[in-house]
Amino acid sequence: MQLSVAYRHRSAIQQTTTGLAVSLAPNLRRDRVSFVGTLRQPLRFREAISALHDVVVSDLRFKRKDKTAYEEWKKQEAAREAKIRSEAARVRKAELQKELQSRPIPPGFEGHFQRCRSRYWDARQKYSNMLYREDPELWRMLVPCDPVITVSPDVLFFECFSSDESSYGCLTVERDAFGAQTDVALGTTNVDYSWRLYEHFQEIRSYRQTQFAIDPLGFEVQTTADAAGYREEKIDLPQSWLRGFATIQSAMSLPTRRVPVSREGVYAVLAFLKRHKAKTSPRAVRFELTPGQPVSIVLEPWEKRIVLHTTPYPGPKQEVIRTWGRDRLRVLGRVLPLLDGADVYLLGTGLPSFWVMRMGEMKLTVGLSGWTANDWTSGGSAIDQLAPPVKPGDDVMKSIAAAFRENPTWTLDALATRARTTAPVVSAGLNELALLGQVIHDLPHEVYRWRQVMPVTLSAEVVGPDNPETVAAREIVGWKVRITSDTTDAKGQRHVTATVDGRSTAELTLDRDDRIVGGKCGCSYFYTGGLRKGPCRHLQAIRYKVLGLAEGGTTIESWYRRFAN
């Protein structure tokens, strides 16, 4: 997808008579968004935004290279060079003996040579670093799109994806963190960002005033291509970037286990991982959870147990959950001195996890996919399949849209009351808006916020096609699904056992909103990935059957009527 951006000037941090002024240049191709305020805790903001930068540039993907041809060439070159060196050494030795006899080496020559050599390579490295910062094409390889900033009535939040698209970062700053607020225009926009701006952020200090601004002047001054600093760009935005922003919202809206973790617990995890590197599997972070008991975090394969005595687990049942991709947690190291505490939101073994760092009026959310190679955008993640396979009627979607026009922030229950329908129906509608890049689920605040990630409304074709397992599930209908057991427990979870397409028995667990929270199946897709790749076609077909979706999910009228009546 082609994204057009235009900036009046470069984002920068400038010295003023009272301190520093952080001026972020908004995208002029979007609706006006502006904000000006004075940071009450500039040091806390500096460390939090720097941690978010670490999320953006992180890339832990393994890059395998085919070195067969290179190794053969290297072997031939080694033989040829050995022959040349042998002959050159013989000639040079004879010449050196003659030269030493006529003119000895002056004293201090070797030291002078080493100093000159060091000076040359230092200058060469500095030049390389300058090109790395200033070359926009190289920067575009790291960040496919400038960070997204949203100004809401109660918070400002910054969103980004990592270079390998396996980590999501969101920094939420409450409006109370700013003093003397002016020029406030609510909305979402991209801002100009560069390595130089990141380096300027490091100049922020606590002993001097720091003004933060999403520059409002760019929308008030007539800007032309001839104006100083003005620039336009067309970015070829990868489909994976859009798909990732959509998928993350589905994952954040699924039922999670909230695990409180103290600052000391986060430090213990990061410190141990920094000092040790696992050479063998398994490499998981294992959470051992018992209601009312201290949380235990076990680092595999060392079986290093970290017991959090000050943070008992508030969940309803005992369970063990394992997550992978722990090296990406290193981005949290920078905010450790500022932490009040943390919460980890777990979906299940092998599924994404969300680490929310609480720093007073600021909260940093880092979302990690099941493991580094299993990013938010590939068919391997497919987390959005766990949500209800429904599309509410136009009247419900219009009611939700009207509510967000009145107020950009809603809780699920309040929005259901406003739309005069049930929470499951509204949840399905919010999921649909999230997949189209219109809504974000603010996990730490437990609210939904209106956030248009793109200046235009996205379509399903732009975001990406359905997962192949979902497409295949729609073809398994009618007599191919035979329900053998359908019960509901005291917690409202629905447990269904069925035979699909003549296969062995499959088991499915749905929550109150008909989202898949557990299951078992004998197919190869489930055997190799469980639910961390999304439910297989057979589990999805069972859900279609018990929800009364006649054509495998092509219509939801029967499902909708069940909750509307």
Side-chain angles (χ1 to χ4, degrees):
M1 178 178 180
Q2 287 286 336
L3 174 65
S4 298
V5 297
Y7 300 110
R8 180 172 176 261
H9 55 75
R10 287 280 186 183
S11 297
I13 296 182
Q14 300 175 344
Q15 292 278 357
T16 66
T17 56
T18 57
L20 292 178
V22 180
S23 178
L24 302 182
N27 181 10
L28 303 180
R29 291 289 180 265
R30 303 194 62 162
D31 293 338
R32 175 192 171 102
V33 177
S34 62
F35 180 85
V36 178
T38 302
L39 284 166
R40 302 185 190 276
Q41 298 289 341
L43 187 63
R44 185 176 294 171
F45 177 80
R46 183 193 73 188
E47 297 304 296
I49 200 71
S50 296
L52 196 67
H53 168 88
D54 292 341
V55 174
V56 173
V57 300
S58 64
D59 188 351
L60 301 180
R61 291 172 294 188
F62 175 72
K63 303 173 182 64
R64 186 183 300 276
K65 297 181 179 180
D66 183 5
K67 298 184 178 181
T68 305
Y70 169 71
E71 292 294 341
E72 182 62 28
W73 172 85
K74 188 169 65 171
K75 186 185 299 183
Q76 296 174 1
E77 284 294 298
R80 185 177 67 87
E81 291 176 2
K83 183 177 179 180
I84 294 174
R85 286 195 184 98
S86 177
E87 180 64 20
R90 186 186 63 80
V91 174
R92 179 58 180 164
K93 183 177 181 180
E95 293 178 350
L96 186 59
Q97 288 177 348
K98 293 180 180 180
E99 186 175 352
L100 288 175
Q101 292 175 357
S102 61
R103 185 180 61 182
I105 298 176
F109 176 83
E110 289 293 334
H112 179 68
F113 170 79
Q114 292 297 334
R115 287 193 297 272
C116 291
R117 183 175 183 274
S118 177
R119 183 178 179 183
Y120 165 77
W121 282 105
D122 288 345
R124 179 169 174 170
Q125 185 62 44
K126 289 180 181 179
Y127 179 68
S128 175
N129 293 340
M130 184 273 291
L131 289 179
Y132 184 68
R133 294 191 304 266
E134 300 296 332
D135 189 343
E137 294 300 323
L138 181 59
W139 176 247
R140 289 302 175 198
M141 293 174 62
L142 294 175
V143 187
C145 185
D146 289 314
V148 177
I149 294 184
T150 301
V151 181
S152 289
D154 56 334
V155 298
L156 271 72
F157 56 93
F158 308 73
E159 296 177 86
C160 69
F161 259 138
S162 64
S163 181
D164 57 14
E165 295 181 348
S166 70
S167 303
Y168 165 85
C170 180
L171 173 62
T172 304
V173 184
E174 296 181 8
R175 291 273 296 272
D176 293 341
F178 299 92
Q181 301 177 24
T182 58
D183 293 310
V184 178
L186 305 182
T188 301
T189 188
N190 310 96
V191 294
D192 174 65
Y193 191 80
S194 66
W195 276 96
R196 185 176 295 276
L197 180 63
Y198 166 74
E199 294 176 350
H200 285 330
F201 275 132
Q202 312 314 308
E203 301 174 2
I204 296 177
R205 298 293 184 270
S206 59
Y207 54 78
R208 58 189 176 193
Q209 177 178 295
T210 301
Q211 184 187 64
F212 176 88
I214 302 174
D215 188 12
L217 298 179
F219 298 93
E220 299 174 357
V221 178
Q222 183 66 32
T223 306
T224 65
D226 298 330
Y230 179 82
R231 63 188 180 90
E232 291 187 11
E233 294 182 22
K234 287 187 178 295
I235 302 172
D236 188 9
L237 196 62
Q239 186 184 71
S240 60
W241 192 91
L242 294 171
R243 184 70 178 177
F245 260 84
T247 306
I248 193 75
Q249 301 311 315
S250 291
M252 293 173 73
S253 63
L254 291 173
T256 59
R257 293 81 158 172
R258 186 182 70 86
V259 180
V261 180
S262 62
R263 177 174 57 182
E264 293 76 16
V266 177
Y267 169 79
V269 171
L270 298 183
F272 189 88
L273 293 177
K274 185 176 180 63
R275 294 194 300 266
H276 300 79
K277 183 175 181 61
K279 297 182 180 180
T280 59
S281 296
R283 298 183 177 92
V285 178
R286 190 170 77 239
F287 292 84
E288 297 182 354
L289 311 174
T290 302
Q293 298 298 317
V295 173
S296 292
I297 301 177
V298 182
L299 303 178
E300 302 175 356
W302 310 281
E303 291 300 308
K304 170 63 177 178
R305 183 176 298 275
I306 300 171
V307 181
L308 310 178
H309 295 284
T310 59
T311 55
Y313 177 55
K317 66 177 181 179
Q318 180 177 354
E319 56 186 328
V320 176
I321 297 177
R322 301 170 72 209
T323 63
W324 284 265
R326 62 194 180 196
D327 285 345
R328 292 170 289 169
L329 293 175
R330 288 180 292 183
V331 300
L332 303 177
R334 184 145 187 175
V335 299
L336 270 177
L338 308 174
L339 282 187
D340 297 329
D343 293 306
V344 182
Y345 294 83
L346 302 173
L347 286 169
T349 295
L351 293 175
S353 59
F354 302 91
W355 294 67
V356 178
M357 304 292 107
R358 292 182 276 105
M359 303 168 286
E361 68 281 2
M362 301 182 191
K363 294 178 177 62
L364 176 65
T365 301
V366 177
L368 308 178
S369 60
W371 57 90
T372 304
N374 182 23
D375 57 46
W376 298 108
T377 63
S378 67
S381 60
I383 302 301
D384 53 318
Q385 298 172 60
L386 300 175
V390 297
K391 294 183 179 180
D394 291 340
D395 53 344
V396 175
M397 299 303 293
K398 290 179 181 178
S399 298
I400 295 175
F404 276 113
R405 282 195 294 269
E406 296 176 5
N407 182 6
T409 304
W410 288 87
T411 63
L412 179 61
D413 292 338
L415 191 57
T417 302
R418 169 65 173 76
R420 296 181 180 179
T421 185
T422 59
V425 174
V426 173
S427 179
L430 291 171
N431 183 70
E432 179 72 12
L433 291 174
L435 289 174
L436 297 179
Q438 306 297 304
V439 167
I440 178 176
H441 185 213
D442 188 344
L443 193 60
H445 293 93
E446 298 183 351
V447 296
Y448 288 86
R449 301 184 186 278
W450 185 256
R451 186 271 285 127
Q452 292 180 296
V453 68
M454 297 292 289
V456 296
T457 301
L458 301 178
S459 63
E461 291 75 14
V462 172
V463 173
D466 287 338
N467 185 276
E469 290 297 304
T470 301
V471 175
R474 294 171 183 159
E475 301 175 0
I476 305 176
V477 295
W479 59 269
K480 294 184 179 181
V481 180
R482 186 169 62 87
I483 305 298
T484 58
S485 174
D486 188 351
T487 61
T488 303
D489 61 21
K491 299 177 182 178
Q493 290 188 338
R494 191 173 182 180
H495 305 274
V496 183
T497 303
T499 301
V500 183
D501 204 12
R503 291 180 175 269
S504 58
T505 301
E507 301 176 7
L508 176 69
T509 301
L510 303 175
D511 70 354
R512 292 178 181 271
D513 292 342
D514 290 329
R515 294 176 291 198
I516 297 177
V517 295
K520 289 183 179 180
C521 186
C523 68
S524 59
Y525 185 88
F526 186 88
Y527 178 79
T528 57
L531 287 178
R532 59 180 177 267
K533 290 185 176 181
C536 66
R537 63 189 66 182
H538 309 105
L539 293 180
Q540 293 188 59
I542 295 174
R543 179 170 60 175
Y544 291 146
K545 182 73 172 182
V546 298
L547 294 183
L549 304 180
E551 294 297 329
T554 58
T555 175
I556 61 134
E557 295 305 321
S558 59
W559 183 93
Y560 174 69
R561 283 195 296 269
R562 287 173 53 234
F563 293 102
N565 294 333

